[in-house]
Amino acid sequence: MADDLKIPLLEELEKGPWPSFVTDIKSVAGKSEMAADLLRQLEKSYEDKRGYWKHGGLVGVRGYGGGVIGRYSALPEEFPGVSHFHTVRVNQPSGWVYTADALNGIMDIWDEHGSGLTNMHGSTGDMVLLGTRTEELEPTFLALTQKGWDLGGSGSDMRTPSCCIGPARCEYACFDTLALTYNLTQEYQDELHRPMFNYKFKIKVSGCPNDCTAAIARSDMAIIGIWKDDIKVNQEEFAKYVDSGMDVQGIVVDMCPTSCISVDGKTIDIDDSNCVKCMHCINKMPKALAVGDEKGAAIALGAKAPIVDGALFGSIMVPFIELEEPYEELHDLIERIWEFWDEHGKARERIGEFIERVTLARFCEEVGLDPIPQMVTHPRENPYIFYEEYFAEEGEGSEE
Amino acid sequence: MADDLKIPLLEELEKGPWPSFVTDIKSVAGKSEMAADLLRQLEKSYEDKRGYWKHGGLVGVRGYGGGVIGRYSALPEEFPGVSHFHTVRVNQPSGWVYTADALNGIMDIWDEHGSGLTNMHGSTGDMVLLGTRTEELEPTFLALTQKGWDLGGSGSDMRTPSCCIGPARCEYACFDTLALTYNLTQEYQDELHRPMFNYKFKIKVSGCPNDCTAAIARSDMAIIGIWKDDIKVNQEEFAKYVDSGMDVQGIVVDMCPTSCISVDGKTIDIDDSNCVKCMHCINKMPKALAVGDEKGAAIALGAKAPIVDGALFGSIMVPFIELEEPYEELHDLIERIWEFWDEHGKARERIGEFIERVTLARFCEEVGLDPIPQMVTHPRENPYIFYEEYFAEEGEGSEE
Amino acid sequence: MATDVERKTDIGPPHYEQFLHPVMKANYGKWLYHDSIAPGVLSHTGPEGTIYTVRAASPRLASTNFIRNMTKIATDFCDGYLRFTSRNNVEFLTDKEENVDKIKAALAELKIPVGGTNNAISNVVHTQGWVHCHSAATDASGLVKVVMDELADYFTSENLPAKTRLAVACCLNMCGAVHASDIAILGVHRTPPVIDHSTLPNLCEIPTTVASCPNNAIKPTSIEGKTTVKVDEDKCMYCGNCFTVCPSMPLSDPLNDGVSIWVGGKISNARTEPMFTKLAVPYLPNNPPRWPEVTDAVKKIVDVYAANARPFERLGEWIDRISWARFFELTGFEFTKYHLDDFRWAGTTYKRSLQNRY
Amino acid sequence: MATDVERKTDIGPPHYEQFLHPVMKANYGKWLYHDSIAPGVLSHTGPEGTIYTVRAASPRLASTNFIRNMTKIATDFCDGYLRFTSRNNVEFLTDKEENVDKIKAALAELKIPVGGTNNAISNVVHTQGWVHCHSAATDASGLVKVVMDELADYFTSENLPAKTRLAVACCLNMCGAVHASDIAILGVHRTPPVIDHSTLPNLCEIPTTVASCPNNAIKPTSIEGKTTVKVDEDKCMYCGNCFTVCPSMPLSDPLNDGVSIWVGGKISNARTEPMFTKLAVPYLPNNPPRWPEVTDAVKKIVDVYAANARPFERLGEWIDRISWARFFELTGFEFTKYHLDDFRWAGTTYKRSLQNRY
Ligand code: SRM
Ligand code: SRM
Ligand code: SRM
Ligand code: SRM
Ligand code: SF4
Ligand code: SF4
Ligand code: SF4
Ligand code: SF4
Ligand code: SF4
Ligand code: SF4
Ligand code: SF4
Ligand code: SF4
C-alpha cells in the first residue's frame, strides 16, 4: 500500500534539519491506509495548490455536541482512505503533563481506531487525534473514557481550557494554574460538551504576566497571574549578578517600562508604587528578584482572532482576584458573564465583540463590576457622554 | 443709559486680579447702547443659567458668502440694543502683527459702526468685531476695505488661514510662515469669501514642530515646519549650559523620546538618524542646538473638533515639502485635494472624516501621493486587504 | 461714510511687512536665539540686534477702549509696534531694553498682568458663551475670568513644571482647543433636544437633520401630516449637532446644563506626540457668577500637578507616567462609568495588558 | 472493544497530579529559580531539589510512532515523565543531571533538534492547512517545515536578541497566534467567493450568511425564484467568513491564493504591552513544496533583526525604536497601499504627529 506512494513533491519536505512530518506520516503509512491516502491527497494539493477537503459536517459521539471535527475528502473515489477523516479532540491534562504509559495507551487506541496521526497539541490545547471514520467515533470515545480520558470542546461551547506549567515547574507562578484549570474543566463539563452558547468561549490560564499560554491574545477569558505588593529582592544574589559582569544598567534598569529601578553599586532599589509588574527585571534576574507575596490573577475578557471585527487582545475586567479553592468568586463571575452574554449576545458574537457593542460601562453594570481606572488605558477622549442622572423640573436639584 | 445698569451678578466678575471683561465692556457701555444691552442680557443669562440668542441667521455683505455671523437676541423687546448683534470677521495680518495706527483705524470704524466690542482674536485667527446691526454691515465693510482690510471666512469655505510669528521673531522657523499664509490667503480669496465647499476648510501654519498655532489639532490642513538633515550643534555653547549647572542629563538626555542623545562631559552627540525632530533638546538649549539646513514643512490633513465622528489630529500626508515662492507644488496639492473632496465628499463632511471614509490608500491615489511608511504609526494589523492585482485564468500568472 | 468710493472686494489682509518692527525686519529669518529676561519678558537676538517682547494678558473680549490703551503703550514705548499671540495675549515689541520696565509699569497701572511665558499658565483659549452664541451650555468669558483669578499667580510666574495650557468651550462644537489642552472646561448639555414641531418642517431640512446625529438617534416622522423628526432619547448623548443644523431642536436646559473638566492634552511634538484631553470630571453645575465648583476642581488639578510632576513634564505626560489610577487618587475625583469610552474607537481605550498599578 | 462496558461521559481529563514527576510534586508551588544549562536545557530548583528539562522539537503533526519514540526516551531516562509545551515542543523531565546528555543523544539519533529556550526561535505555532482544513489558502505543516529548515540553527542556539516566536495560519480565521507573533505567515485568498447557487438555498441560512460579512458585501437576492445571495465584489476583501458559515461560497483559487507576512507581535507583558503583528509583505505566491519566496522573506527579517536589535529587544520593540520607515529600508520590502489600514480602526494608525524619520 505505502509502496505505491508517489509523492515526489512532498518528498522534497524530507530534506533539511527540521523533523519532517512527511517522513513521520510515511512511517505509519505502511500500516494505515488513511495515512497513505492523506499523503496522496496532500501531494495532489501540492501539485494543484489547493486543498481537497469538503466543508465540515456534523458528526460526533452520543450525547456530546462538541469534541469532534467532521471532515470528508472532496475526492473520496481517488482517496478512499480519507473519504472520512474526522478529528477527535481529547481534553489534555492541565499543563500538558503525561507519563509514557498514559500516552502509549492513547496511541494504542488511535492505532486501532484511527489514522495513527495526531497533533500534539491543537492550538486550543487539546490532544488532537487526526483522522478517523464516522463509525469509529463511538468506539474511540468508549476506549478513551475507559482509560480516563474525555473529549474537549468544539463549536459554540466553552472550549477546552488550558494552562501553563505554572507551580509544577515555574518559580513565577502566582497561583495554581493546573488546579484552577482542572477545576474549571470539571465544573463546566456540560458547557464544554454541549454547545449552547452564542459562540465559542475559550479560557486560557497563565501563571504570571509572561503569559506562556498566550491567554491575552487567544482566549475569551484570560486568567493571568499577578501580584499586588512589592517585588521581593535578594540583595546578595543581586550583587552576584553585578559581579558576574552582567550589564544590569542596559539590560534591566534601562528596559524597565516605568523607569522605576535604580541601582547603586551592588544594591538595587525598586519603586514598587510605579512598577507595572511587567516581569522583565524578574525574568532577567530570577535569583535576585521574585514576585511578591500577595498573589492572585487578573482577568481579561475578549481576546480573539480577526474574524469578524478585527483581532482583539483581552481587556482587563478584574485587575486582581485571589484564586483559591473552591474558586467561588470566579465561578460566580463566569456565570454572570455567560448569563448576560447568553441573553444579549448575537449568534456568532464573541464576548470581546459583545462588550464593545453593549459598551464596557453597561457590561460592568450588568455583571456587577465597579468601573475603575485599571480597566482602561485612559478615560474617554470624546465628549459624547450618556448622562443618566439629571435634575427634574419639580425636583429642585435633588434628583441627581 | 449705562447709569441704569443693574448687573450685580456680573459685577462679581469685576473682582480679582485677572482683567475683567465686565469692567471693560462697562467702559464703552456709556457710549454704546449695544454694549450696555449686551451686559443686561448677559446678566439675565447669569440669573437664568441660559443663553438668550436666537439660532444664527444669514446676513452678510454684498458678493460675499462668508465673513459675517448673524446673531439676534431672543428678547429683542427687553434688550433692543442687541436685537441685531452680528459679528464681522476681519482677516488679520499674518502673525497678528500690527501698528498702533492701523489698529486705531479699525477701532474708529468699529466705534462708528458697531458695538465697540471685539475679540482679539477669534479662535480661527480673525479679528472679530463683535456686534452690529444688519444695516451697518455694508458700511463697515466699505470703511474697512478703504483702509486695506478685508473679511475673513465663515461657513463652508476656506477659513482665514493663520500662522505663528515664525521668521519674524523666532529662531526655530523652518520656512516663512508669514509669507506663505499671505500667499495662500491672497491666492484663494474666492474660496475664502464664497462658501462652495462641502464644509469648512481651515489652514494653520506653524514654523516648527512646537506648533504654536495648534495647527495639528485645529486645522483641516496643518502646514508645520520641519527639517530633514541633522540638528546643528554648537559645542562651545553646549559646554556653557553644562557649566551653568543645568541638569542636562535629566532635562535633555533622559527626555529625548528616542534616546538618541549622549553626553560625554561637555560634549553632546546626537544620533540624528533616530531623531524624530521633536524639538525638545533644541527648545531647552537654543543657543547650543538649532534646526538643520534642509528646511521645509510637513503637511497634515484632517484635524477637527469632535463633531461628528470624534476629534481628530491632522494626519501626515506629506512628511516633507520645500516651501519657496511661488509655492506651486503646494498650490497644486491643495487644489487636487479640494477637487477630490468636492467631488466625493458629503455635505458637512470635514476632510479628516472624508479621508477615513474613502480610506487613506484611495485618497493618496486620487490626489497623487505615494504611500510611504511616514504616513502611519504602523502598517495595518488586520488582514482585510483589498487585493487589487490578481492572476487571470488565461493570463498564466503574468497579469499581476 | 462717503458712498462714492470705489467698492473693493477680495483684497485680502494688508501685507504683514508694514507691521514689522525694523529690528524684526532686519533679522527676518536669521534669528540666532532667545533669552528669558523675566516672566513675560523675552528677548530674541539675531545678527542685526535684539528685540524685546513684553507679553500682557488680555480678556480677549476687548473693547475699543482696551485696544486703544494697548496701542497707546505701543506708541509710547515701541515705535507703535505690537502684536497678539495665538493665545490672545498682547505683545509689545521694542529694541530698547530700558523700555521693558516702562511698558511693565504702564501695564501695571492698567492692572494688566504680564506673564504667560515659559512654564506658566498662559491666557485661556476660549469661545463666545452666553455673550454671543446660541449653542452655549455655559458662559466662556465668565469661566475664564473666575478661573484665571484663581490662577493669576501662575501667569505671572514661571514655576510650574512645564507650559500649562487651558481652554474653555461653551458647547461640544469646541470652538477652540478643548480637545487638546492641558486642562479644559467644556460646557455640556445633559438632556435631549426639545423639538418644536410647529417650526421644524419649515426651518429644517429633514435629511440633513437626520444625518447630523453621530448616534443615529434621529428619525423622520410625521405629525399631523407634516414631516418632522423624532429623537430616540436612549441614543442621544446631547451633543447638539442636530441643533446646529436645525434651529427647532434646542438643547438649552438651565437645570441640567453645566460643565465637564478634561485634562492631559497637548499640541506640541516636544518629547511626546500631540495628545487629546481626557475626561476628568463629567459634570459640575453652572453656578454663576463665580462657578466655585469649577475653580476648585481646576485649582486642585494644577496644585497636584505642580506638586508632583518632574521638570518640563506636561500634565498629560505626568499622568501617563504615574497612571490614571494615581491621578484619580491624588485629585480625589471619582472614577465613574462616564469615564469609560463608548464611542466609535472605545475598544482602543480598554486596557489590554497586565501592566497596571494597584 | 467490548461493548458491555459502562458508557461514561463528562469525566473530564485525568487529574494532572498523577503525571507529575516526584520532584515537581515535591517542589510544587515552591520553586526558587531556574538556570539555563545549554540551549534546550533548563534546570529548575526548589527546596526539594532540581528538575532538568530537555526540550525537543516536534513536527506537531506527529504519528503514533513519533509519540512512541518520545515515550521511549521518557521511559529510559525520565522515569516515564514528559510533557508538551504551549508551542508543541516535547519536554523531557528528569532529576538526574547525568541523564541530560543521554536524552540529547537519544534525540540526536532520531534527528530531533534540541533547543527553543531563551533567545531562540522556538517551535512554530500552526494550523491544519491542506492536511485537514476546508478553508486553507495554503499548507501549514509544509510552510513550517521549509521555514524551520532555514532557521533550525536559531532553534538550537540562543543567540538572537530575544525570544522570537513564529506562527503560520492557513486562512484568516488564524487558528493560532498569527495576530500576535514576532513573525507570522498567513495564508490569504485574493478573489471573492464563487457562489454555488444550486446548493446555497439548501445549505445556507441566508441571514447568517449576510451577517457574516465584516464589510456588508453580501446581500440576499433571488435567482430563479430561490433566495440566495450575491456579493458586491468591490466590498469583498476575501476574508472567507462567509464560507465558514456557508459551504456554497468557497474562495479557494489556486492561481491567486498565497501567503502574506506579518511582523512585530508579542504576547508577554515584559517591558512593552502585548502587540499585534503588522503587515510586512502583502502577498507571496504559493510555491510548494518549498515556498522559496516565503523562506527568503522570513530569513531576511530574522537576519536584519539579529544584526540590528539590542539585547532582549523583541522584534516589534526593535521596529518601534527604529521606525517602520527604517524597517522597510533594511528589509528592502516594498511599502504599498496595502500597508495602509482601511478597516474600522484605520484612523488610529494614521501618523498624527510630526515625529518622524527621514
Ligand atoms: C484544530 C485547530 C487548529 C490546529 O491545527 O491546532 C483549529 C481548527 C479549526 N478552526 Fe480554529 N482551530 C484551532 C484553534 C483556534 C485558535 C487558537 C486558540 O484556540 O488558541 C483560534 C484563534 C483564537 C480565537 O478563538 O479567536 C481559532 C480561530 C478560529 C476561527 C475564527 C473565528 C472566531 O473568531 O472564532 C474559526 C472560524 C469559526 O469559528 O467558524 C475557526 C474554525 C476552525 C475550523 C473548525 C474550521 C471551520 O471553519 O469550521 C478548523 C477545523 C480544522 C480542521 O479541519 O481540523 N477557528 N481556532 C485548533 C483547535 C485545536 C484544539 O482544540 O486544540
Ligand atoms: C467665533 C468663534 C469662537 C471664538 O469665540 O473665537 C467660533 C464661533 C462659532 N463657531 Fe466655531 N468658532 C470659532 C472657531 C472654531 C474652532 C477653532 C479654530 O478654528 O481653530 C473650532 C474647532 C476646530 C474645528 O474647526 O474643528 C470650531 C468648531 C466649530 C464647530 C464644530 C464642527 C466642525 O467640526 O466644524 C461648529 C459647528 C458647525 O460648524 O456647524 C462651529 C460653529 C460656530 C458658530 C458659527 C455656531 C454655529 O453653530 O453656527 C459659532 C458662532 C458663535 C457666535 O455667535 O459668534 N464651530 N470653531 C471662532 C471663530 C473666530 C474666528 O474666525 O477667528
Ligand atoms: C508667541 C507664540 C507664537 C505666536 O505666534 O503667537 C509662541 C512663542 C514661543 N513659543 Fe510657543 N508660542 C505660542 C503658542 C504656543 C502654542 C499654542 C497654544 O498654546 O495654543 C504651543 C502648543 C502648546 C501645546 O503643546 O499644547 C506652543 C508650544 C511651544 C513649545 C513646546 C512646549 C512643550 O514642551 O510642550 C515651545 C518650546 C518651549 O517652550 O520649550 C515653544 C516655544 C516658543 C518660543 C520660545 C519660540 C521662540 O524661540 O520664540 C516663544 C516664546 C515661548 C514662551 O512664551 O514661553 N512653544 N506655543 C504663542 C504664545 C502664546 C501665548 O500667548 O502664550
Ligand atoms: C514551557 C513554557 C510554558 C508551558 O507551560 O509550556 C514556557 C516556559 C518558560 N517561560 Fe515562557 N514558556 C512557554 C511559552 C511562552 C509563551 C507563549 C508562546 O510563545 O506562544 C510566551 C509569550 C511569547 C510572546 O511574548 O510572544 C512566553 C514568554 C516568556 C517570557 C517573556 C519573554 C519576553 O521578554 O517577551 C519569559 C521571560 C524570559 O524569557 O525572559 C518566559 C519565561 C519562561 C521560563 C523561563 C519560566 C520559568 O522560570 O520556568 C520558562 C523557560 C523559558 C524558555 O524556554 O526560555 N516566557 N513563554 C512554554 C514553552 C514554549 C516553547 O516550547 O517554546
Ligand atoms: S506564564 Fe509565568 S508562571 Fe506560567 S510558565 Fe510562564 S513564566 Fe511560569
Ligand atoms: S517588573 Fe517591570 S515595571 Fe516592575 S520594576 Fe521590574 S522591569 Fe520595572
Ligand atoms: S511654531 Fe516654531 S517657529 Fe513658530 S513661533 Fe512657535 S517655536 Fe517659533
Ligand atoms: S529633537 Fe527630540 S528626538 Fe531629536 S534629538 Fe532632540 S530631543 Fe531627541
Ligand atoms: S463652543 Fe459652541 S457655544 Fe461656544 S462659540 Fe462655539 S459653537 Fe458657540
Ligand atoms: S443632541 Fe446629538 S445625539 Fe442627541 S439627537 Fe441631537 S445630534 Fe443626536
Ligand atoms: S487557519 Fe483557517 S484554514 Fe487553517 S485550520 Fe484554521 S480555519 Fe482551517
Ligand atoms: S469573503 Fe469576507 S468580505 Fe468577501 S463576501 Fe465573504 S465574508 Fe464578505
Side-chain angles (χ1 to χ4, degrees), chain A residues 176-242:
Chain A
D176 192 337
T177 54
L178 293 84
L180 176 67
T181 303
Y182 184 77
N183 174 284
L184 294 177
T185 310
Q186 295 294 351
E187 181 81 19
Y188 299 115
Q189 282 287 302
D190 196 34
E191 285 79 0
L192 177 66
H193 291 141
R194 289 163 204 93
M196 286 179 308
F197 290 160
N198 300 309
Y199 206 4
K200 56 186 83 166
F201 191 93
K202 295 179 176 175
I203 299 180
K204 285 189 169 68
V205 180
S206 287
C208 82
N210 282 331
D211 194 2
C212 297
T213 62
I216 198 86
R218 284 162 55 190
S219 50
D220 300 273
M221 174 176 268
I223 305 174
I224 303 177
I226 193 85
W227 68 100
K228 254 183 134 162
D229 55 341
D230 293 355
I231 290 177
K232 291 197 279 193
V233 182
N234 181 330
Q235 296 288 4
E236 250 168 76
E237 290 291 334
F238 176 72
K240 287 188 201 159
Y241 280 107
V242 177

Side-chain angles (χ1 to χ4, degrees), chain A residues 295-364:
Chain A
K295 290 185 279 200
I299 296 178
L301 290 185
K304 54 178 288 294
I307 305 289
V308 181
D309 280 350
L312 295 175
F313 287 130
S315 92
I316 299 294
M317 300 300 306
V318 180
F320 188 83
I321 183 172
E322 267 178 58
L323 289 176
E324 302 288 346
E325 309 256 11
Y327 308 112
E328 267 178 43
E329 197 186 337
L330 181 61
H331 293 172
D332 277 4
L333 179 65
I334 291 176
E335 286 155 31
R336 288 199 309 272
I337 290 168
W338 283 345
E339 204 184 314
F340 180 50
W341 180 46
D342 191 54
E343 209 163 310
H344 297 274
K346 298 186 195 167
R348 298 192 85 237
E349 184 177 45
R350 296 282 287 264
I351 193 84
E353 295 160 329
F354 173 67
I355 295 174
E356 283 193 32
R357 179 168 62 79
V358 302
T359 78
L360 183 52
R362 169 141 183 249
F363 186 83
C364 287

Side-chain angles (χ1 to χ4, degrees), chain B residues 330-342:
Chain B
L330 180 63
H331 292 172
D332 277 3
L333 179 65
I334 290 176
E335 286 156 30
R336 288 198 311 270
I337 289 168
W338 283 345
E339 203 185 315
F340 180 51
W341 179 47
D342 190 54

Side-chain angles (χ1 to χ4, degrees), chain A residues 95-96 163-166 169-172 210-214 218 280 283-284, chain D residues 34 42 44 55 83-89 91 116-119 122-123 125 162-163 165 177 180-182 265-268 270-271 312 314:
Chain A
W96 299 289
C163 68
C164 75
I165 188 69
R169 200 201 54 193
C170 182
E171 68 271 31
Y172 303 145
N210 282 331
D211 194 2
C212 297
T213 62
R218 284 162 55 190
H280 179 71
N283 287 336
K284 293 300 145 254
Chain D
H34 73 277
L42 302 167
H44 286 79
R55 186 180 293 172
R83 73 177 291 263
F84 293 79
T85 71
S86 63
R87 299 192 76 83
N88 310 313
N89 287 310
E91 288 188 337
T117 48
N118 291 309
N119 295 350
S122 188
N123 214 335
V125 168
K163 281 185 164 37
R165 304 312 210 194
S181 296
D182 295 277
K266 81 186 270 278
I267 301 287
S268 80
R271 301 168 305 283
F312 298 108
R314 293 282 295 268

Side-chain angles (χ1 to χ4, degrees), chain A residues 273-274 313-316 356 365 374-377 379-382 386-391 400, chain C residues 190 215 238 255-256 262 278-279 282 324 326 337-343 349 351-353 356-357:
Chain A
S273 72
N274 277 317
F313 287 130
S315 92
I316 299 294
E356 283 193 32
E365 232 162 39
Q374 281 84 356
M375 289 175 175
V376 293
T377 52
R380 70 162 64 233
E381 292 177 336
N382 61 74
F386 287 91
Y387 293 101
E388 285 172 11
E389 298 80 16
Y390 58 91
F391 302 106
E400 198 186 5
Chain C
R190 296 193 307 154
N215 273 357
Y238 333 116
L255 223 45
N256 285 293
W262 302 73
K278 280 103 189 165
L279 181 64
W324 284 94
R326 198 78 78 228
K337 63 183 169 187
Y338 299 133
H339 291 90
L340 302 176
D341 192 3
D342 47 17
F343 196 52
T349 70
K351 182 76 185 176
R352 301 200 190 259
S353 93
N356 239 327
R357 258 90 159 200

